[in-house]
Amino acid sequence: MQMRMEYRIHDYSDRAGDWSWGENRNWCDAIVHGPENACTVRATMIEMGGLFWHEIMGQMTGGRDRHKKHHSQPLDSLSDEAQLRWIEIGREEDELFRFRTGGKPRIWGFRTGHVFNVVWWDAEHKIYPVEKD
């Protein structure tokens, strides 16, 4: 927690194919998604890379119902499709980490010590869907 966050964007990123909800996994493809997705991922990683992990973990969101902005997430809490894809791409971690980049968008990956490894861009919050009251 006392180390600065480092990141790897392309080492483990899963950009092949599409999700069942119609989103192409290749968020780097400016023609498919527009340049803003790749820019958002890179800009978020650059911004977070200037912080220590304890600062990242201390960021809150939610107004009256405050909760952690960025946090770990158990694999078994993700959508069935995401869990299956995690196994298909050869990942063995049972805990992921996600960065919130706005209302819906999330960046998913895993931590190896102080390094965050980007795996997925989730523009529509479908990897871990939540129902609104």
Side-chain angles (χ1 to χ4, degrees), residues 36-101:
E36 64 278 358
N37 286 335
C39 290
T40 299
V41 170
R42 185 169 300 284
T44 301
M45 292 297 97
I46 290 169
E47 178 184 349
M48 295 296 117
L51 301 175
F52 290 93
W53 273 105
H54 69 88
E55 295 172 313
I56 292 168
M57 299 300 288
Q59 291 184 7
M60 304 292 280
T61 188
R64 289 184 301 153
D65 300 324
R66 312 268 306 150
H67 52 276
K68 290 186 178 283
K69 186 174 182 181
H70 318 293
H71 58 81
S72 296
Q73 189 80 37
L75 176 63
D76 64 4
S77 69
L78 303 184
S79 70
D80 290 344
E81 181 177 354
Q83 291 180 52
L84 290 172
R85 183 65 183 172
W86 195 251
I87 294 165
E88 284 176 15
I89 63 172
R91 302 297 340 141
E92 296 180 358
E93 298 82 5
D94 57 4
E95 184 175 272
L96 287 76
F97 193 88
R98 63 97 165 155
F99 284 94
R100 179 182 178 144
T101 64

Side-chain angles (χ1 to χ4, degrees), residues 15-33:
R15 296 178 304 202
D18 299 317
W19 293 105
S20 65
W21 55 88
E23 185 175 349
N24 186 287
R25 286 192 195 97
N26 189 3
W27 44 266
C28 287
D29 188 338
I31 294 170
V32 173
H33 290 290

